[in-house]
Amino acid sequence: MNTNNHRPTSQIKERVQSLDILRGADLFFLGILGPLFMSFKNSTTLDISENIVKQFSHVNWTGFTCWDLIMPLFMFMAGTSMPYSLSKYKSNKEFYLKIVKRFILLFILGSIVQGNLLALDINSLKLFSNTLQAIAVGYLFSAIIYRYVKSINIQIVITAILLIVYWISMSIGGDYTQNGNFAEKVDNLVLGHFRDGAYLDENGWHFADYYHYTWIVSSINFIATVMTGLIAGEIIKSQREKLSKSLILLAGGAFMIVLAQLLNLTHPIIKTIWTSSMVLFSSGISYILLSLFYYIIDVKQWGKHLSWLKIFGMNSIAAYLIFEVFHHPLNSFFNNFIFGLKQFFPSYYPFILNMTTCIFIFLVLNYMFKKKIFLKV
């Protein structure tokens, strides 16, 4: 891990602005807009449509909301940047040092965020339970595919095979209930008490009823998700005319959404276990968003008022870590200074406290952006 204060001029020129801004929009929704909206909703007596509210939380099982898109889009964007970040490595030694290092660091950071690594207690350690670890797996295998498979058509075939393999394994290994699906069974067997949601009491280890996210079998589709992003990055980096690239992404996204809905008839859209229909649906939306952002920002050059999102997008790992690790401690910290406001705004105090934290986080990330301090792994 390092901070990079100086980038080669050629790398700056090659940077596609829409990639940073879309990634930034995703993280802004996760770390700023979402928490502020929910704290406002819990504070106000205003009647907010339930259809809007549910977009800021995960579905219990089947279905999909805007909040469910955050992780797939983050992983998709990790793949989209790969044709740019990996093409500079000429030797195999340099290439493998880069991807193995990134895999290890992302896995460690994921353990810090959600795996209780810093507790230094083997009984509370969770081996595989975080977005960064899912990205690590998807990144490692997608990078190897990218290294040796240069044809986009073959990359598409490999991605399709991954989706089919997952679909078949789920179809023959169980059902699509929370406790009966194949991915759940494998996680319980392989991860055991190192699985998130596992807890120890006087009767031994148990699996909590509330936790059904899966990671081992789902890794097949973590790779597929990153691959869909990688293919999108290949399209954008190609020598095609810019408008043509945007239209290809738009058409590809629409096709994947239609295919997802057809597959949903027998293989439900379930983000919790990362089903193939969910990958197609979320990647389809990601393609359409990327198409629109690319058209607005890189084709039409209308993105001037969106450039502030680079504060999050160009420092995505730092932003994610700050949101996930420091948000609640910062709330407690700022409560020591502004608790006097609670007597004047008792209902809205949680919103005010949350807004104070979000403003501080924004200022920290903005300072890092202006000083060109970028956390790289």
Side-chain angles (χ1 to χ4, degrees), residues 78-310:
T80 307
S81 63
M82 287 171 63
Y84 294 90
S85 62
L86 294 180
S87 60
K88 62 185 178 182
Y89 298 107
K90 303 305 179 184
S91 71
N92 280 337
K93 179 181 178 181
E94 191 179 20
F95 172 80
Y96 280 106
L97 281 174
K98 166 64 180 177
I99 66 170
V100 170
K101 172 191 171 186
R102 190 162 202 249
F103 172 82
I104 293 172
L105 288 175
L106 284 172
F107 224 88
I108 292 173
L109 291 174
S111 289
I112 290 173
V113 171
Q114 200 164 328
N116 295 324
L117 181 64
L118 299 184
L120 305 179
D121 179 6
I122 193 68
N123 288 325
S124 66
L125 180 64
K126 308 305 175 186
L127 291 178
F128 196 177
S129 60
N130 183 258
T131 299
L132 294 181
Q133 295 172 328
I135 292 175
V137 172
Y139 172 86
L140 178 66
F141 288 96
S142 296
I144 294 171
I145 293 170
Y146 171 76
R147 183 71 172 180
Y148 296 104
V149 180
K150 299 305 181 184
S151 167
I152 289 183
N153 290 335
I154 299 178
Q155 291 172 0
I156 292 172
V157 169
I158 292 173
T159 305
I161 290 172
L162 291 170
L163 295 171
I164 292 169
V165 167
Y166 180 93
W167 179 18
I168 292 173
S169 68
M170 293 296 289
S171 298
I172 66 177
D175 53 33
Y176 289 100
T177 62
Q178 290 181 325
N179 292 310
N181 69 83
F182 180 62
E184 175 89 2
K185 296 174 184 177
V186 171
D187 269 28
N188 286 343
L189 179 64
V190 176
L191 295 178
H193 69 265
F194 293 112
R195 184 186 180 190
D196 204 353
Y199 64 94
L200 178 67
D201 63 18
E202 64 275 6
N203 297 316
W205 286 98
H206 307 275
F207 297 110
D209 289 335
Y210 66 84
Y211 189 87
H212 294 285
Y213 289 92
T214 58
W215 304 89
I216 303 298
V217 177
S218 296
S219 290
I220 298 171
N221 277 347
F222 294 158
I223 302 168
T225 301
V226 176
M227 282 298 300
T228 63
L230 187 150
I231 293 164
E234 295 265 57
I235 293 169
I236 290 178
K237 197 181 178 189
S238 71
Q239 298 302 311
R240 294 181 179 90
E241 192 265 331
K242 283 187 175 182
L243 180 59
S244 175
K245 297 176 188 178
S246 182
L247 292 174
I248 290 171
L249 291 170
L250 184 64
F255 174 76
M256 281 190 281
I257 289 174
V258 171
L259 192 59
Q261 294 298 340
L262 293 174
L263 187 57
N264 183 47
L265 298 174
T266 59
H267 183 68
I269 294 174
I270 306 174
K271 188 252 182 181
T272 309
I273 57 176
W274 219 265
T275 58
S276 297
S277 54
M278 193 286 299
V279 173
L280 287 169
F281 189 71
S282 61
S283 292
I285 296 173
S286 299
Y287 264 73
I288 291 173
L289 287 174
L290 182 56
S291 169
L292 295 175
F293 273 66
Y294 184 73
Y295 179 78
I296 291 169
I297 296 163
D298 292 298
V299 178
K300 289 297 186 179
Q301 303 290 315
W302 293 340
K304 179 175 65 174
H305 299 299
L306 295 173
S307 60
W308 61 273
L309 287 168
K310 292 181 185 177

Side-chain angles (χ1 to χ4, degrees), residues 15-25 77 309-310 312-314:
R15 201 168 193 101
V16 178
Q17 303 301 311
S18 54
L19 302 186
D20 292 323
I21 291 175
L22 178 55
R23 188 187 300 109
M77 295 303 296
L309 287 168
K310 292 181 185 177
F312 305 96
M314 291 182 68

Side-chain angles (χ1 to χ4, degrees), residues 311 363-374:
I311 293 168
L363 292 175
V364 169
L365 290 170
N366 187 49
Y367 174 82
M368 294 175 69
F369 179 78
K370 288 183 175 179
K371 294 296 183 179
K372 294 183 171 59
I373 301 172
F374 302 110

Side-chain angles (χ1 to χ4, degrees), residues 303-353:
K304 179 175 65 174
H305 299 299
L306 295 173
S307 60
W308 61 273
L309 287 168
K310 292 181 185 177
I311 293 168
F312 305 96
M314 291 182 68
N315 225 346
S316 57
I317 300 298
Y320 179 81
L321 290 173
I322 291 172
F323 295 153
E324 295 295 313
V325 177
F326 297 106
H327 194 101
H328 292 299
L330 283 171
N331 268 359
S332 299
F333 173 78
F334 284 116
N335 182 58
N336 294 323
F337 294 92
I338 67 170
F339 68 91
L341 295 176
K342 190 173 184 178
Q343 61 186 313
F344 303 110
F345 309 98
S347 297
Y348 284 92
Y349 182 71
F351 173 70
I352 294 170
L353 180 60

